[in-house]
Amino acid sequence: NRKSTNVGLRAEYMIKFEWALHRNALRRATDFGEAVLGVSPAQSDLDIEAHVEALRCDFRISAQRGDWDSAVKGLNRLERLCGNQGLWAQQVGCLLLGAKWRLDACPMSPVPAMSPCLRALALCELHCFDAFHAEATARLGMVQLHLGDVLKARTLLRAALPKVLEHGHIDVQGDVWYALAMTELKEKAFAKDAPEVWKHITPTLCDWEKPTRFLERALECFAYVEHRSRMQTCHYWLARIHHQEDSAPYHKAKRDFHSYRAGVDRAPTRPASRAPGFRNLRVSFRGDALAPTRETRVRTLSLSGTAPCST
């Protein structure tokens, strides 16, 4: 019937949209996003939830382009709309996505991302959203990591990890594994600068087994969904870790492999993406300079359900 046909068609467009967005094929992602909006009108058998998800696709494209201001402002309007309509799950999703974008946009100032995380946690506890609660806990741990509180960040990330692995999206799982690796690396950096404060870390200062394992798990998750910018970042840090190891041929081969993959796995239209907490990543072992570029095209979208237009 017509309803089942719309559900299947919309699911197909959403899968293709996710694929194009992760590969940074923005023109193709824009086409699929408009197709999703076309089969998800505000008044339809799929109801308002599908329309909200279709509107969110356009803001995700703006964030992928680096137009953080437009993406965050549009998502804030959409989050208020979900709250007014009583769409609590969609509101939590908007809050978590907004927290992620705030961290990606300005990792040196993570405080604005804390408020959406705390609001999402409150809504999850009120409405018993277990999967969202785990993701909100993980996002809060990432905020603490950017604030420099490694111990609190590790506690929050480890508390959220089992539920995220059970119910979370594979992309969120990769973010959690990556954040755990960054806690280990940042802790080693602190111990190197102040060994008298981090005495319990000093004996394992040259032990790279845990961050390597976490980064490999994150790389596996991002490769599963072909999230190229995150794959590039994982290859970058794995190359740096193997560069820190001894000069054995195994570590040299691993270093060269990950350094090469960091250059190969670049997105087709934008070579690099700013990873949470690190800017302008460069792989210098083979001279592969990876410099992010910015596209100037800005998209606007009316929340009234009209098709998106380009300016």
Side-chain angles (χ1 to χ4, degrees), residues 232 235-236 239-240 255-266 271-272 280-292:
Q232 184 186 42
H235 281 302
Y236 167 82
R240 287 198 60 178
R255 179 201 66 186
D256 293 341
F257 168 76
H258 289 295
S259 175
Y260 172 74
R261 294 303 303 179
V264 169
D265 285 333
R266 64 182 65 187
N280 299 329
L281 301 181
R282 291 181 179 271
V283 178
S284 58
F285 307 124
R286 286 190 173 185
D288 297 326
L290 306 177

Side-chain angles (χ1 to χ4, degrees), residues 1-11 39-41 44-47 49-50:
N1 56 24
R2 185 169 62 87
K3 181 176 180 179
S4 60
T5 302
N6 286 344
V7 171
L9 190 61
R10 180 182 178 277
V39 297
S40 306
S44 68
D45 294 333
L46 301 177
D47 210 358
E49 290 90 346

Side-chain angles (χ1 to χ4, degrees), residues 14 18 64 136 200 217 255 290:
M14 281 298 300
E18 294 283 349
Q64 190 72 9
H200 60 291
R217 292 295 300 272
R255 179 201 66 186
L290 306 177

Side-chain angles (χ1 to χ4, degrees), residues 119-141:
R119 290 181 59 197
L121 279 173
L123 286 172
C124 290
E125 293 177 358
L126 181 63
H127 300 285
C128 301
F129 297 146
D130 291 340
F132 277 136
H133 189 279
E135 184 179 349
T137 304
R139 295 294 176 197
L140 188 60

Side-chain angles (χ1 to χ4, degrees), residues 10-57:
R10 180 182 178 277
E12 178 185 354
Y13 287 148
M14 281 298 300
I15 292 173
K16 292 179 179 179
F17 170 80
E18 294 283 349
W19 170 81
L21 191 69
H22 285 162
R23 292 177 63 88
N24 210 30
L26 298 184
R27 185 174 300 176
R28 186 171 297 177
T30 301
D31 295 337
F32 287 129
E34 292 175 353
V36 171
L37 185 62
V39 297
S40 306
Q43 303 296 330
S44 68
D45 294 333
L46 301 177
D47 210 358
I48 188 66
E49 290 90 346
H51 185 64
V52 168
E53 183 65 30
L55 293 175
R56 192 161 56 180
C57 290

Side-chain angles (χ1 to χ4, degrees), residues 47-186:
D47 210 358
I48 188 66
E49 290 90 346
H51 185 64
V52 168
E53 183 65 30
L55 293 175
R56 192 161 56 180
C57 290
D58 193 78
F59 303 138
R60 293 176 62 187
I61 294 174
S62 297
Q64 190 72 9
R65 287 197 177 96
D67 187 8
W68 302 108
D69 186 65
S70 175
V72 171
K73 287 181 178 179
L75 196 67
N76 287 340
R77 295 195 302 269
L78 190 59
E79 182 264 325
R80 290 193 296 269
L81 175 66
C82 293
N84 295 333
Q85 296 290 332
L87 305 175
W88 312 122
Q90 284 72 21
Q91 185 180 14
V92 172
C94 291
L95 287 170
L96 294 177
L97 192 59
K100 179 179 182 296
W101 288 350
R102 284 175 171 86
L103 280 179
D104 289 350
C106 190
M108 304 307 295
S109 180
V111 176
M114 185 174 291
S115 177
C117 291
L118 295 176
R119 290 181 59 197
L121 279 173
L123 286 172
C124 290
E125 293 177 358
L126 181 63
H127 300 285
C128 301
F129 297 146
D130 291 340
F132 277 136
H133 189 279
E135 184 179 349
T137 304
R139 295 294 176 197
L140 188 60
M142 297 173 195
V143 173
Q144 295 295 335
L145 175 63
H146 284 79
L147 288 172
D149 195 338
V150 178
L151 299 179
K152 187 176 293 185
R154 181 187 288 113
T155 301
L156 291 170
L157 290 168
R158 286 182 175 176
L161 183 61
K163 192 65 69 173
V164 169
L165 294 179
E166 184 178 356
H167 297 293
H169 191 277
I170 190 72
D171 206 26
V172 179
Q173 296 178 24
D175 285 341
V176 174
W177 286 119
Y178 177 80
L180 284 171
M182 291 301 104
T183 59
E184 298 294 330
L185 295 177
K186 185 166 286 191

